[in-house]
Structures are given as C-alpha cells and as structure tokens.
Amino acid sequence: MTTQQAPAIQVQGLEKSYKELHVLRGVDFDVARGSIFALLGSNGAGKTTVVKILSTLLKADAGTARVNGFDVATQAADVRESISLTGQFAAVDEILSGRENLVLVARLRHLRNPGKIADDLLERFSLTEAGARKVATYSGGMRRRLDIAMSLIGDPPVIFLDEPTTGLDPQARIEVWQAVRELADRGTTVLLTTQYLDEAEHLADRIAILHEGRIIVNGTLAELKQLLPPAKIEYVEKQPTLEDVFLTLVGTKA
Amino acid sequence: MSKHFFGDTTVLLGRSLRHITRSPDTIITTAIMPIAMMLMFVYVFGGAINTGADSYVDYMLPGILLITVASGIAYTAYRLFMDMKGGIFERFQSMPTARSSVLWAHVLTSLVANVISLGVVMGVALLMGFRSAAGVLAWLSVAGILILFTLALTWIAVIPGLSATTVEGASAFSYPLIFLPFLSSAFVPTATMPGPVRAFAEHQPVTSIVNAIRALFTQQPVGTDIWIALAWCVGILVVAYAFAMRTYRRKIS
C-alpha cells in the first residue's frame, strides 16, 4: 500500500477509572482503514470501556482518541456521523418488527427512502420473510443479524462490534462472522472485541490483547505466534471437533 | 439544540406510541386500579363518609384522577428502564441523532398514555353518575392542571428509569405517590383527621390540587388553592427536571 491515509482509529494514552477501579491505564493502538481489528481480553479487561469511549458514550479521563479523523471528545457529533455501535446485547426493539427497526434507524440517521433501505438490508441478511414479524419472536442469531443490519444503515466507515457472538450458538456465530467479513470486503473498518480466541484468529487482520488496563501485544496472527518458541512438528490424529460434528449433523452449509 | 431535535423526537415518539398501541394492557392496568378504588369508595365506603357534598363520586373523582397519573408514570420509568437495559438507549446515543430526543420522546409518550388513561377513568366516572356543570374554561383549567401534574410526575419517573438496576426498582417509586392522595382531602375532608395527620394533609401538594380541581368541577371559587396547586406542580416539575437531567448527564459522560 502506497497511499498515505490516516488510520481510521487512533488511540493514545487512554485512561479511565470508575471510582477506585483503574480500568484503562494508558491504552494505545491504531486501526488501519478497511481492516478488522480484534481487541482481545478476559471479562472485565476494559474492552467495552474502550468501545464506549470511541463511540462517545463515555468520556476518557486522559489521553486522546480519533475516529475517522475526528476527536471523540471535541468533535463527538462528527464521530457519531462516522460510526455505528453494536453493543454486547442485541440492541433491537422487541416490540417493533424487524423492518420497523431498520426504518427507525434509517429515519434517525436522516436518510431518504428508509423503506427501501430496510427492504434491501432484510434481503442481504436473509430476514425478508421475518421482516414483518415482531422481533420478540426472533432467534438469537436472527436478532444479532438484525442488530448488525441496523448498524450498517447509512454506510458508516467505522463499525464497533462489542462481543458480537457472545451467547450465540455455533451456527449463528458463523453467520455473524460471514457478515463481518463482508463488511471488511466493502472497505468498512471493523473494531471487534471478543473473549473468544478462535474468533479473533478467524476474523482479524490484527489482534491486540488488552490486559490490566494496557495493550500488552498488538500484531498480526503470524506475528503473535512468533512470540512463542517455533512450532514443533508433531503427528496428531485429526479428530473431528464437537463443533464439526454438531454442524455436520444439523446440516449447515458453513 | 440540534437542528434535528424536533424531527428525531417525532420519530422516537412514534416508536414509543407503537409500544403502547401494541400492548394496550399498560393503559388498562393503569386505569384498572383507580377504577377499582372508585367503585369501592363510591359503593362500599362512600355511604359512610360524610363529605358535605351531594354526590360522593363528584367529591372523590379529582383524587382518583391523580392516582391514575401516579400509577401511569410507573410505566414511563419502566419503558425508559427497558431501553437502558436492552442497549437501545446506547444505540440511539451513539447515532447522529439529537441526544435529548430520546428522553423527550419518553416524556411525551407518558403524557399521551396518561391522557388516554385519564379519559378511560373519566368515562367510567360518568357512567357511575359523575356530573359537572363546569364551563369550557373550567374544563380547560382542569386539563391544564392534570397535564402539568403529569409532566411533573413524569420527570420524577425519568430519574429511576435512568438509574434503576432492576425492573422492580424502576417502578417502586410510584407506590408512595399513589398513596399520597389518601393522606389528603381526596377522599375525606381533612377536618376529620387527628392533628399531625391533618397538618401533613393540608400542607402536601395533593390537597391543594384536589381542592382546585374539585372547585372547578363544582363551579365554586378556586381561591388560593389553584395558585398553591400550580406552584406545587411547577416546583416539582423544575426540581425533578433538574435532577433527571443531572442523572442523564452522568449516564452519558
């Protein structure tokens, strides 16, 4: 790549405390445009706090963060114009139908033709048939798909996905992964937090590990693997994993 | 104020009103308790209560209307709490939407829902023999007081709606508000109460509001009651609004 573009997300020296609890103690990282960046960490490591600061829901105590070139503290409105947040729990309106949820978000983003936007997204996420039904009747995977579809409205250049597959069954997880890959293929920058190592391994261009309030490593999967002694060659019988068995039996195409 | 404030508030108001039309049980449960109380007071206790008024239903309707509002705003806190808990509040706050529209839509929804409940209770009262010869101006004054009272209580409801950690916590605050009319002139004249209770009853907001509405319905002079009533409503509204906004700012910083 020769084009000199500013990173989609730049974070420097980010600190945040909740009363006595020092959650972030100086977090630094950059996310290149159009890439998938995974923020990995155990529960309570502060992943959600980082996402909330980047999506202007929380104010940092110290440090700076820029999203799409805009400062989250001083240009919050421009940041909100540039992002979408998919939080830890599918933030959908249970009482409205899937289509109404999409129309609602399109209207709140002040777009033209909210109905058409909704129909296109329903189709893209295979929800057309369920579109007129109340979201309360959806499965976990359908809800998550709708949730992500809602985040795509208005084509924001940066999308935050906070633990997008927590609580999903394996099939739904694969559906979400596909959706995330498609996003990156279209040039959207994705910052994803997860506590599942395989999820980061499957999806991310770069992986950073957040531990005790700091980023302790940040690199591609290959780079992270080099941190450990070189691989030894061992011969191991390849057993199908339980996931393989499950997916074969329930007959998913993935 | 964002240039999208009115548009966004309208869109979000449409959303919450759909919640009400799709679960009309919230209106029914809001109206059912005041209606049950009205039936009980008029047909069970009423005969033994000497208020000096000709018709007991005429006497106690103002208090019942206030109880209706007090039980209705529990749903305002509930709806706001569910938005907070489900994460949709954060979704709206992270979008290029006028941020305060999210709160205002809930407040206006509360107003609409309470007006409908008040209408239902009023309808039952008419069936039970409530009559008033009040003119248009008096009716408008009653409507104005009730709307102001609803707004004041709605902003109180916003505080637990934003800060509660459980559903029960979000609506529990309304119980004392529902019982406040019992310690007022709503059902019995305060003159019959023992000293300290009477002192409390005569100096709490419900008594002046009830007296003002009752005077308007019966075409009596409203005297100073209406000004005391308005002062209470505006005072509660301002204080509750300030606390609600402080809670809200803490949530988003």
Coordinates of all heavy atoms in Angstrom, one line a residue, chain A residues 152-232:
Chain A
L152 N -25.5 -1.1 9.8 CA -24.9 -0.8 8.5 C -25.6 0.4 7.8 O -25.2 0.9 6.8 CB -25.0 -2.0 7.6 CG -24.3 -3.2 8.1 CD1 -24.3 -4.3 7.1 CD2 -22.9 -2.9 8.6
I153 N -26.8 0.8 8.4 CA -27.6 1.8 7.8 C -26.8 3.1 7.7 O -26.2 3.5 8.7 CB -28.9 2.0 8.5 CG1 -29.7 0.7 8.4 CG2 -29.7 3.2 8.1 CD1 -31.0 0.7 9.2
G154 N -26.8 3.7 6.5 CA -26.0 4.9 6.3 C -24.6 4.7 6.0 O -23.8 5.6 5.9
D155 N -24.2 3.4 5.8 CA -22.8 3.0 5.5 C -21.7 3.8 6.3 O -20.9 4.4 5.7 CB -22.5 3.3 4.0 CG -23.2 2.2 3.2 OD1 -23.1 1.1 3.6 OD2 -23.7 2.5 2.1
P156 N -21.8 3.7 7.6 CA -20.7 4.4 8.4 C -19.4 3.8 8.1 O -19.3 2.5 7.9 CB -21.1 4.2 9.8 CG -22.0 3.0 9.8 CD -22.7 3.0 8.5
P157 N -18.3 4.6 7.9 CA -17.0 4.0 7.6 C -16.4 3.1 8.7 O -15.5 2.3 8.5 CB -16.1 5.2 7.3 CG -16.8 6.4 7.9 CD -18.3 6.0 7.9
V158 N -16.8 3.3 10.0 CA -16.2 2.6 11.1 C -17.4 1.9 11.9 O -18.4 2.5 12.2 CB -15.5 3.5 12.1 CG1 -14.9 2.7 13.2 CG2 -14.4 4.3 11.3
I159 N -17.2 0.6 12.2 CA -18.2 -0.1 12.9 C -17.5 -0.8 14.2 O -16.5 -1.4 14.0 CB -18.9 -1.1 12.1 CG1 -19.8 -0.4 11.1 CG2 -19.7 -2.1 12.9 CD1 -20.7 -1.3 10.3
F160 N -18.2 -0.6 15.3 CA -17.7 -1.2 16.5 C -18.6 -2.4 16.8 O -19.8 -2.2 16.9 CB -17.8 -0.2 17.7 CG -16.9 1.0 17.5 CD1 -17.5 2.2 17.4 CD2 -15.5 0.9 17.4 CE1 -16.7 3.4 17.2 CE2 -14.7 2.0 17.3 CZ -15.3 3.2 17.2
L161 N -18.0 -3.5 17.0 CA -18.8 -4.7 17.4 C -18.3 -5.2 18.8 O -17.2 -5.7 18.9 CB -18.6 -5.8 16.4 CG -19.1 -5.5 15.0 CD1 -18.7 -6.7 14.0 CD2 -20.6 -5.4 14.9
D162 N -19.1 -5.0 19.8 CA -18.7 -5.4 21.1 C -19.2 -6.8 21.4 O -20.4 -7.0 21.6 CB -19.2 -4.4 22.1 CG -18.6 -4.5 23.5 OD1 -17.6 -5.2 23.6 OD2 -19.0 -3.8 24.4
E163 N -18.3 -7.7 21.5 CA -18.6 -9.1 21.7 C -19.8 -9.6 20.9 O -20.8 -10.0 21.5 CB -18.9 -9.4 23.2 CG -17.7 -8.9 24.0 CD -17.6 -9.7 25.4 OE1 -18.4 -10.5 25.7 OE2 -16.6 -9.4 26.1
P164 N -19.7 -9.6 19.6 CA -20.9 -9.8 18.8 C -21.4 -11.2 18.8 O -22.5 -11.5 18.4 CB -20.4 -9.5 17.3 CG -18.9 -9.7 17.4 CD -18.5 -9.3 18.8
T165 N -20.6 -12.2 19.3 CA -21.1 -13.6 19.2 C -21.3 -14.2 20.6 O -21.6 -15.4 20.7 CB -20.1 -14.5 18.4 OG1 -18.9 -14.4 19.1 CG2 -20.0 -14.0 17.0
T166 N -21.2 -13.4 21.7 CA -21.4 -13.9 23.0 C -22.8 -14.4 23.1 O -23.8 -13.7 22.8 CB -21.1 -12.8 24.1 OG1 -19.8 -12.4 23.9 CG2 -21.3 -13.3 25.5
G167 N -23.0 -15.6 23.6 CA -24.3 -16.2 23.8 C -25.0 -16.7 22.6 O -26.1 -17.1 22.6
L168 N -24.2 -16.8 21.4 CA -24.8 -17.3 20.2 C -24.5 -18.8 20.0 O -23.4 -19.2 20.5 CB -24.4 -16.6 19.0 CG -24.8 -15.1 18.9 CD1 -24.5 -14.6 17.5 CD2 -26.3 -15.0 19.0
D169 N -25.4 -19.6 19.4 CA -25.0 -21.0 19.1 C -24.0 -21.0 17.9 O -23.9 -19.9 17.2 CB -26.3 -21.8 18.8 CG -27.0 -21.3 17.6 OD1 -26.4 -21.0 16.6 OD2 -28.3 -21.3 17.7
P170 N -23.3 -22.1 17.7 CA -22.3 -22.1 16.7 C -22.7 -21.7 15.3 O -22.0 -21.0 14.6 CB -21.8 -23.6 16.6 CG -22.3 -24.2 17.9 CD -23.4 -23.4 18.4
Q171 N -23.9 -22.1 14.9 CA -24.4 -21.7 13.6 C -24.6 -20.2 13.5 O -24.1 -19.5 12.5 CB -25.8 -22.3 13.4 CG -25.9 -23.2 12.2 CD -27.2 -23.9 12.3 OE1 -27.6 -24.6 13.2 NE2 -28.0 -23.8 11.2
A172 N -25.2 -19.6 14.5 CA -25.4 -18.1 14.5 C -24.0 -17.4 14.5 O -23.9 -16.3 13.9 CB -26.2 -17.7 15.7
R173 N -23.1 -18.0 15.2 CA -21.7 -17.4 15.2 C -21.1 -17.3 13.9 O -20.6 -16.3 13.5 CB -20.9 -18.3 16.1 CG -19.8 -17.6 16.9 CD -19.6 -18.2 18.2 NE -18.7 -19.4 18.1 CZ -17.4 -19.3 18.5 NH1 -16.9 -18.2 19.0 NH2 -16.6 -20.3 18.4
I174 N -21.3 -18.4 13.1 CA -20.7 -18.4 11.7 C -21.4 -17.4 10.9 O -20.8 -16.7 10.1 CB -20.8 -19.8 11.2 CG1 -19.8 -20.7 11.9 CG2 -20.5 -19.8 9.7 CD1 -20.0 -22.2 11.7
E175 N -22.7 -17.2 11.0 CA -23.5 -16.2 10.3 C -22.9 -14.8 10.6 O -22.7 -14.0 9.7 CB -25.0 -16.3 10.7 CG -25.7 -17.4 10.1 CD -27.1 -17.5 10.7 OE1 -27.5 -16.6 11.4 OE2 -27.8 -18.6 10.5
V176 N -22.6 -14.6 11.8 CA -22.1 -13.3 12.2 C -20.7 -13.1 11.6 O -20.4 -12.0 11.1 CB -22.1 -13.1 13.7 CG1 -21.3 -11.9 14.1 CG2 -23.5 -13.0 14.3
W177 N -19.9 -14.1 11.7 CA -18.6 -14.0 11.1 C -18.6 -13.6 9.6 O -17.9 -12.8 9.1 CB -17.8 -15.3 11.3 CG -17.4 -15.5 12.7 CD1 -17.6 -14.7 13.7 CD2 -16.7 -16.7 13.2 NE1 -17.0 -15.2 14.9 CE2 -16.5 -16.5 14.6 CE3 -16.2 -17.9 12.6 CZ2 -15.8 -17.4 15.4 CZ3 -15.5 -18.8 13.4 CH2 -15.3 -18.5 14.8
Q178 N -19.6 -14.3 8.9 CA -19.7 -14.0 7.5 C -20.1 -12.5 7.2 O -19.5 -11.9 6.4 CB -20.8 -14.9 6.8 CG -20.2 -16.2 6.4 CD -21.3 -17.2 6.0 OE1 -22.5 -16.9 6.2 NE2 -20.9 -18.3 5.4
A179 N -21.0 -12.1 8.1 CA -21.4 -10.7 7.9 C -20.2 -9.7 8.2 O -20.1 -8.7 7.4 CB -22.5 -10.4 8.9
V180 N -19.4 -10.1 9.1 CA -18.3 -9.2 9.5 C -17.3 -9.2 8.3 O -16.8 -8.1 7.9 CB -17.6 -9.6 10.8 CG1 -16.3 -8.8 11.1 CG2 -18.6 -9.5 11.9
R181 N -17.0 -10.4 7.7 CA -16.1 -10.4 6.6 C -16.5 -9.6 5.4 O -15.8 -8.9 4.8 CB -15.9 -11.9 6.2 CG -14.8 -12.6 7.1 CD -14.3 -13.8 6.4 NE -13.8 -14.7 7.4 CZ -14.6 -15.7 7.8 NH1 -15.8 -15.9 7.3 NH2 -14.2 -16.5 8.8
E182 N -17.9 -9.7 5.2 CA -18.4 -9.0 4.0 C -18.2 -7.5 4.3 O -18.0 -6.7 3.3 CB -19.9 -9.3 3.9 CG -20.2 -10.5 3.1 CD -21.7 -10.9 3.2 OE1 -22.5 -10.0 3.3 OE2 -21.9 -12.1 3.2
L183 N -18.4 -7.1 5.5 CA -18.2 -5.6 5.8 C -16.8 -5.2 5.5 O -16.6 -4.1 4.8 CB -18.4 -5.4 7.3 CG -19.7 -5.3 7.9 CD1 -19.7 -5.1 9.4 CD2 -20.3 -4.0 7.2
A184 N -15.8 -5.9 5.9 CA -14.5 -5.6 5.6 C -14.2 -5.6 4.1 O -13.4 -4.7 3.6 CB -13.5 -6.5 6.4
D185 N -14.8 -6.5 3.4 CA -14.6 -6.6 2.0 C -15.1 -5.3 1.3 O -14.6 -4.9 0.3 CB -15.3 -7.8 1.4 CG -14.6 -9.1 1.8 OD1 -13.4 -9.0 2.3 OD2 -15.2 -10.2 1.7
R186 N -16.1 -4.7 1.9 CA -16.7 -3.5 1.3 C -15.9 -2.2 1.7 O -16.3 -1.1 1.4 CB -18.1 -3.3 1.7 CG -19.0 -4.3 1.1 CD -20.3 -4.3 1.9 NE -21.3 -5.1 1.2 CZ -22.5 -4.6 0.7 NH1 -22.8 -3.4 0.8 NH2 -23.3 -5.4 0.1
G187 N -14.8 -2.4 2.5 CA -14.0 -1.3 2.9 C -14.3 -0.7 4.2 O -13.7 0.3 4.6
T188 N -15.2 -1.3 5.0 CA -15.6 -0.7 6.3 C -14.5 -1.2 7.3 O -14.0 -2.3 7.2 CB -16.9 -1.3 6.8 OG1 -17.9 -1.0 5.7 CG2 -17.4 -0.7 8.1
T189 N -14.1 -0.3 8.2 CA -13.2 -0.6 9.3 C -14.0 -1.2 10.4 O -15.0 -0.6 10.8 CB -12.5 0.7 9.8 OG1 -12.0 1.4 8.6 CG2 -11.4 0.4 10.8
V190 N -13.5 -2.3 10.9 CA -14.3 -3.0 12.0 C -13.4 -3.1 13.2 O -12.3 -3.7 13.1 CB -14.8 -4.4 11.5 CG1 -15.5 -5.1 12.7 CG2 -15.7 -4.3 10.3
L191 N -13.8 -2.6 14.3 CA -13.2 -2.9 15.6 C -14.1 -3.8 16.4 O -15.2 -3.6 16.6 CB -12.9 -1.6 16.4 CG -12.1 -1.9 17.7 CD1 -11.2 -0.6 18.0 CD2 -12.9 -2.2 18.9
L192 N -13.5 -5.0 16.7 CA -14.3 -6.0 17.3 C -13.7 -6.4 18.6 O -12.5 -6.6 18.7 CB -14.3 -7.2 16.3 CG -14.3 -8.6 16.6 CD1 -15.7 -9.1 16.2 CD2 -13.4 -9.4 15.7
T193 N -14.5 -6.6 19.6 CA -14.0 -7.1 20.9 C -14.5 -8.5 21.1 O -15.6 -8.8 20.7 CB -14.4 -6.2 22.1 OG1 -15.7 -6.6 22.4 CG2 -14.3 -4.7 21.9
T194 N -13.7 -9.3 21.7 CA -14.1 -10.7 21.9 C -13.3 -11.3 23.0 O -12.2 -10.8 23.3 CB -14.0 -11.5 20.6 OG1 -14.4 -12.8 20.8 CG2 -12.5 -11.6 20.1
Q195 N -13.9 -12.3 23.6 CA -13.1 -13.1 24.6 C -12.8 -14.5 24.0 O -12.2 -15.3 24.6 CB -13.8 -13.2 25.9 CG -15.3 -13.5 25.8 CD -15.9 -13.6 27.2 OE1 -15.3 -14.1 28.1 NE2 -17.1 -13.1 27.3
Y196 N -13.3 -14.7 22.8 CA -13.0 -16.0 22.1 C -11.8 -15.9 21.2 O -11.8 -15.1 20.3 CB -14.2 -16.4 21.2 CG -15.5 -16.5 22.0 CD1 -16.6 -15.8 21.7 CD2 -15.6 -17.4 23.1 CE1 -17.8 -15.9 22.4 CE2 -16.8 -17.5 23.8 CZ -17.9 -16.7 23.5 OH -19.0 -16.8 24.2
L197 N -10.8 -16.6 21.6 CA -9.5 -16.5 20.8 C -9.7 -17.0 19.4 O -9.2 -16.4 18.5 CB -8.5 -17.4 21.5 CG -8.3 -17.1 23.0 CD1 -7.2 -18.0 23.6 CD2 -8.1 -15.7 23.3
D198 N -10.5 -18.0 19.2 CA -10.7 -18.5 17.8 C -11.4 -17.5 16.9 O -11.2 -17.4 15.7 CB -11.4 -19.8 17.8 CG -12.8 -19.7 18.4 OD1 -13.0 -18.9 19.3 OD2 -13.7 -20.5 17.9
E199 N -12.2 -16.7 17.6 CA -12.9 -15.6 16.8 C -12.0 -14.6 16.2 O -12.0 -14.2 15.1 CB -14.0 -14.9 17.7 CG -14.8 -13.9 16.9 CD -16.1 -13.6 17.7 OE1 -16.9 -14.6 17.8 OE2 -16.2 -12.6 18.3
A200 N -11.0 -14.2 17.1 CA -10.0 -13.2 16.7 C -9.1 -13.9 15.6 O -8.8 -13.3 14.6 CB -9.2 -12.8 17.9
E201 N -8.8 -15.1 15.8 CA -8.0 -15.9 14.8 C -8.6 -15.9 13.5 O -8.0 -15.8 12.4 CB -7.7 -17.3 15.4 CG -6.4 -17.9 15.0 CD -6.1 -19.2 15.7 OE1 -6.5 -19.3 16.9 OE2 -5.5 -20.0 15.1
H202 N -9.9 -16.2 13.4 CA -10.7 -16.4 12.2 C -10.8 -15.0 11.4 O -10.8 -15.0 10.2 CB -12.1 -16.9 12.4 CG -12.1 -18.4 12.4 ND1 -12.0 -19.2 13.6 CD2 -12.1 -19.3 11.4 CE1 -12.1 -20.5 13.2 NE2 -12.1 -20.5 11.9
L203 N -11.1 -14.0 12.2 CA -11.6 -12.8 11.5 C -10.6 -11.7 11.4 O -10.6 -10.9 10.3 CB -12.7 -12.2 12.4 CG -14.1 -12.9 12.3 CD1 -15.1 -12.2 13.2 CD2 -14.6 -12.8 10.8
A204 N -9.7 -11.5 12.3 CA -9.0 -10.2 12.4 C -7.7 -10.2 11.6 O -7.0 -11.1 11.4 CB -8.6 -10.0 13.9
D205 N -7.5 -9.0 11.0 CA -6.2 -8.7 10.4 C -5.1 -8.4 11.4 O -4.0 -8.8 11.2 CB -6.3 -7.4 9.5 CG -7.4 -7.6 8.4 OD1 -7.3 -8.7 7.7 OD2 -8.3 -6.8 8.2
R206 N -5.5 -7.7 12.4 CA -4.6 -7.5 13.6 C -5.3 -7.8 14.9 O -6.5 -7.6 15.0 CB -4.1 -6.1 13.6 CG -3.1 -5.7 12.6 CD -2.6 -4.3 12.8 NE -1.5 -4.2 13.8 CZ -0.3 -4.5 13.5 NH1 0.1 -4.9 12.3 NH2 0.7 -4.3 14.4
I207 N -4.5 -8.2 15.8 CA -5.1 -8.6 17.1 C -4.3 -7.9 18.2 O -3.1 -7.8 18.2 CB -5.0 -10.1 17.4 CG1 -5.7 -10.9 16.3 CG2 -5.5 -10.5 18.7 CD1 -5.4 -12.3 16.2
A208 N -5.0 -7.3 19.1 CA -4.3 -6.6 20.3 C -4.9 -7.3 21.5 O -6.1 -7.6 21.6 CB -4.6 -5.1 20.3
I209 N -4.1 -7.5 22.5 CA -4.5 -8.1 23.8 C -4.5 -7.0 24.8 O -3.5 -6.4 25.1 CB -3.7 -9.3 24.2 CG1 -3.8 -10.4 23.1 CG2 -4.1 -9.8 25.5 CD1 -3.0 -11.6 23.4
L210 N -5.7 -6.8 25.4 CA -5.8 -5.8 26.5 C -5.8 -6.5 27.8 O -6.6 -7.4 28.1 CB -7.2 -5.1 26.3 CG -7.5 -4.0 27.3 CD1 -6.6 -2.8 27.2 CD2 -9.0 -3.4 27.0
H211 N -4.8 -6.2 28.6 CA -4.7 -6.9 29.9 C -4.3 -5.9 31.0 O -3.3 -5.1 30.8 CB -3.6 -8.0 29.7 CG -3.5 -8.8 31.0 ND1 -4.5 -9.6 31.4 CD2 -2.4 -9.0 31.8 CE1 -4.1 -10.3 32.5 NE2 -2.8 -9.9 32.8
E212 N -5.0 -5.9 32.1 CA -4.7 -5.0 33.2 C -4.5 -3.5 32.8 O -3.6 -2.8 33.2 CB -3.4 -5.5 34.0 CG -3.7 -6.8 34.7 CD -2.6 -7.3 35.5 OE1 -1.5 -6.9 35.3 OE2 -2.8 -8.2 36.3
G213 N -5.4 -3.1 31.9 CA -5.5 -1.7 31.5 C -4.6 -1.3 30.4 O -4.5 -0.1 30.1
R214 N -3.8 -2.2 29.9 CA -2.9 -1.8 28.8 C -2.9 -2.8 27.7 O -3.3 -4.0 27.9 CB -1.4 -1.7 29.3 CG -1.2 -0.5 30.2 CD 0.3 -0.4 30.5 NE 0.5 0.8 31.4 CZ 0.4 0.6 32.7 NH1 0.2 -0.6 33.3 NH2 0.6 1.7 33.5
I215 N -2.5 -2.3 26.5 CA -2.3 -3.3 25.4 C -1.0 -4.0 25.5 O 0.1 -3.3 25.5 CB -2.4 -2.5 24.0 CG1 -3.7 -1.7 23.9 CG2 -2.1 -3.5 22.9 CD1 -4.8 -2.5 23.4
I216 N -1.0 -5.3 25.8 CA 0.3 -5.9 26.0 C 1.0 -6.4 24.7 O 2.2 -6.5 24.7 CB 0.2 -7.0 27.1 CG1 -0.9 -8.0 26.8 CG2 0.1 -6.4 28.5 CD1 -0.9 -9.2 27.8
V217 N 0.2 -6.8 23.8 CA 0.7 -7.1 22.4 C -0.2 -6.6 21.4 O -1.4 -6.5 21.6 CB 0.9 -8.6 22.2 CG1 2.2 -9.1 22.9 CG2 -0.3 -9.4 22.5
N218 N 0.3 -6.4 20.2 CA -0.5 -5.9 19.1 C 0.2 -6.3 17.8 O 1.3 -5.9 17.6 CB -0.6 -4.4 19.2 CG -1.4 -3.7 18.0 OD1 -1.7 -4.4 17.1 ND2 -1.7 -2.4 18.2
G219 N -0.4 -7.1 17.0 CA 0.2 -7.6 15.8 C -0.7 -8.5 15.0 O -1.9 -8.7 15.3
T220 N -0.2 -9.0 13.8 CA -1.0 -9.9 13.1 C -0.9 -11.3 13.8 O 0.0 -11.5 14.7 CB -0.4 -10.1 11.6 OG1 0.9 -10.6 11.8 CG2 -0.4 -8.8 10.9
L221 N -1.7 -12.2 13.3 CA -1.7 -13.5 14.0 C -0.3 -14.1 13.9 O 0.2 -14.7 14.8 CB -2.8 -14.4 13.3 CG -3.0 -15.8 13.9 CD1 -3.4 -15.7 15.3 CD2 -4.0 -16.6 13.0
A222 N 0.3 -14.0 12.7 CA 1.6 -14.6 12.4 C 2.6 -14.0 13.4 O 3.4 -14.7 14.0 CB 2.0 -14.4 11.0
E223 N 2.5 -12.7 13.6 CA 3.5 -12.0 14.5 C 3.3 -12.5 15.9 O 4.2 -12.7 16.6 CB 3.3 -10.5 14.4 CG 3.8 -9.9 13.2 CD 3.3 -8.4 13.0 OE1 2.5 -7.9 13.8 OE2 3.8 -7.8 12.0
L224 N 2.0 -12.6 16.3 CA 1.7 -13.1 17.7 C 2.3 -14.5 17.9 O 2.8 -14.8 19.0 CB 0.2 -13.0 18.0 CG -0.4 -11.6 18.0 CD1 -1.8 -11.7 18.6 CD2 0.4 -10.6 18.7
K225 N 2.1 -15.3 16.9 CA 2.6 -16.7 17.0 C 4.1 -16.8 17.2 O 4.6 -17.7 17.8 CB 2.1 -17.5 15.8 CG 0.7 -17.9 15.9 CD 0.3 -18.8 14.8 CE -1.1 -19.4 15.0 NZ -1.7 -20.0 13.8
Q226 N 4.8 -15.8 16.6 CA 6.2 -15.8 16.7 C 6.7 -15.4 18.1 O 7.9 -15.6 18.4 CB 6.8 -14.8 15.7 CG 6.9 -15.4 14.3 CD 7.3 -14.4 13.2 OE1 7.7 -13.3 13.6 NE2 7.3 -14.8 12.0
L227 N 5.8 -14.9 18.9 CA 6.2 -14.6 20.3 C 6.6 -15.8 21.0 O 7.3 -15.8 22.0 CB 5.1 -13.8 21.0 CG 4.8 -12.4 20.4 CD1 3.6 -11.9 21.1 CD2 6.0 -11.5 20.6
L228 N 6.0 -17.0 20.6 CA 6.3 -18.2 21.3 C 7.4 -19.0 20.5 O 7.6 -18.7 19.4 CB 5.0 -19.0 21.4 CG 3.9 -18.4 22.2 CD1 2.7 -19.3 22.2 CD2 4.4 -18.1 23.6
P229 N 8.0 -19.9 21.2 CA 9.0 -20.7 20.5 C 8.5 -21.3 19.2 O 7.3 -21.6 19.1 CB 9.4 -21.8 21.5 CG 8.9 -21.4 22.8 CD 7.8 -20.4 22.6
P230 N 9.4 -21.5 18.2 CA 8.9 -22.0 16.9 C 8.1 -23.3 17.0 O 8.4 -24.1 18.0 CB 10.2 -22.2 16.1 CG 11.3 -22.1 17.1 CD 10.8 -21.3 18.2
A231 N 7.3 -23.5 16.1 CA 6.4 -24.7 16.1 C 7.3 -26.0 16.0 O 8.2 -26.1 15.2 CB 5.4 -24.7 15.0
K232 N 6.9 -27.0 16.8 CA 7.5 -28.3 16.7 C 6.5 -29.1 15.8 O 5.3 -28.9 15.8 CB 7.6 -29.0 18.0 CG 8.7 -28.5 18.9 CD 8.7 -29.3 20.2 CE 7.5 -29.1 21.0 NZ 7.5 -29.8 22.3

